[in-house]
């Protein structure tokens, strides 16, 4: 059985999908962009670091909604509009995770929704 996860403290879905789905003790959170949940606008159109910081605030809101923390994250996928953003993203990423780190994939894509610079999705297992 699956349950929809939703919080107003993270940006609303911008399409026909859920912010997150719970299946058993596993949570699948949709990719987060650097959008301010109150306005739906990017915190910065051009600053990768600012977008990444907001992404992690949005992920934190989803984790809090289900009683989890970053230490419960088992897998992340990072989508970059340009691989040149990797170092900046990685610097922010490193502030939120400690060893043992989650598994991660990072790929460059042609375009992200709303022309974002970075999008990050997470899979979480509640301990």
């Amino acid at each position: 059985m699956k349950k929809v996860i939703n919080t107003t403290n993270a940006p609303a879905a911008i399409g026909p999908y859920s912010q997150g789905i719970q299946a058993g003790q596993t949570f699948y959170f949709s990719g987060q962009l650097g959008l301010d949940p109150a306005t739906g606008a990017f915190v910065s159109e051009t600053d990768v670091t600012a977008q990444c910081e907001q992404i992690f605030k949005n992920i934190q809101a989803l984790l809090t909604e289900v009683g989890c923390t970053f230490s419960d994250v088992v897998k992340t996928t990072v989508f970059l509009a340009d691989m040149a953003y990797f170092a900046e993203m990685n610097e922010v990423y490193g502030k939120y995770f400690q060893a043992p780190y989650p598994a991660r994939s990072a790929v460059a894509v042609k375009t992200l929704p709303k022309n974002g610079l970075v999008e990050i999705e997470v899979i979480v297992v509640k301990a």
Side-chain angles (χ1 to χ4, degrees), residues 12-31:
I14 56 175
Y17 60 89
S18 301
Q19 286 177 318
I21 293 290
Q22 178 180 2
Q25 293 299 306
T26 303
F27 300 88
Y28 301 88
F29 291 124
S30 294

Side-chain angles (χ1 to χ4, degrees), residues 24-119:
Q25 293 299 306
T26 303
F27 300 88
Y28 301 88
F29 291 124
S30 294
Q32 293 296 305
L33 297 166
L35 301 173
D36 180 317
T39 65
F42 283 107
V43 293
S44 170
E45 296 284 332
T46 58
D47 186 337
V48 174
T49 298
Q51 284 193 22
C52 286
E53 291 285 357
Q54 185 62 49
I55 287 167
F56 282 101
K57 289 178 186 175
N58 296 341
I59 292 170
Q60 176 67 66
L62 291 164
L63 292 168
T64 298
E65 183 69 21
V66 299
C68 291
T69 68
F70 282 100
S71 65
D72 296 309
V73 175
V74 297
K75 172 73 167 79
T76 67
T77 305
V78 179
F79 303 95
L80 301 162
D82 189 321
M83 198 53 81
Y85 301 145
F86 184 85
E88 290 171 87
M89 174 281 300
N90 212 40
E91 187 172 325
V92 176
Y93 186 100
K95 294 179 187 178
Y96 292 89
F97 295 107
Q98 298 176 358
Y101 300 104
R104 179 176 81 179
S105 300
V107 297
V109 296
K110 183 176 178 184
T111 308
L112 288 167
K114 293 190 162 197
N115 291 315
L117 303 177
V118 180
E119 181 176 359

